[in-house]
Amino acid sequence: MLAPPPPLEPAAPTILDIEASGFGRDSYPVEVGFVLPDGSSWCTLIRPEPDWQHWDPDAQALHHIPRALALRHGRSAAEVARLLNQRLRGSVAYCDGWAHDYPWLARLYDAAELTPSFRLEHLLCLLDEDQARRFDTLKQQVIAESGLQRHRASSDARMLQLTLRRLKPAPPRHR
C-alpha cells in the first residue's frame, strides 16, 4: 500500500501585524490583527493598560487610531491574549517587523499574565535571498493594485500575505 502524499504547504502562512502607540521603549500595542492561510482574518483594538501612557502622534498619523478610540472600544490585554491563544494555538505566525512586533506582543502577554500559545517569527525567514531582495518592491505593487489604503493591523497582514502569495505561489497539485 502506498503512503499518502505529504500535505501541501499553504500558499501563505498566518500573518500577524500590530499597530502601536509609538516606536520607543515605552510603546505598547493598540491593535492586533492576523490573516490565516485560508484568507480569513481577525482584528481588535487593545485598551491601553493604566500604566501604558506613552503616545506618539507620529504613530497615530500612520494608523489613524486615536488613543481615546482604543480606550473606549479596545478589549483588555487579558481578553486579547486569550483570544489570540485560542485562534493561533500551536501555529507559527509571521510578521514583517519582528524587532517591534515581538516586544509589543510580549508587553501584551505580560500585562495579561499569560504565555503565547503560538510562535512569532519574521517573515524573511520564509524567503530565499532573491525573494527577500524583491519583497518590498512587490509589496508596493500589491498595495497599488489591491487598493488597500488603511494602515491597520488586519489590512497590513492581508497585504503582507498577498505579497507572499505572489512571491511564493502554491505548488501545483498533482492528480
Side-chain angles (χ1 to χ4, degrees), residues 98-109:
W98 191 87
H100 293 292
D101 292 338
Y102 187 83
W104 292 329
L105 194 65
R107 188 140 193 208
L108 174 77
Y109 276 87

Side-chain angles (χ1 to χ4, degrees), residues 76-99:
S76 71
E79 182 181 3
V80 173
R82 279 193 304 273
L83 289 167
L84 286 169
N85 277 352
Q86 288 169 4
R87 293 179 170 149
L88 299 177
R89 183 172 314 285
S91 68
V92 178
Y94 295 88
C95 64
D96 70 336
W98 191 87

Side-chain angles (χ1 to χ4, degrees), residues 27 45 95-96 145:
S27 64
L45 291 171
C95 64
D96 70 336
E145 292 169 9

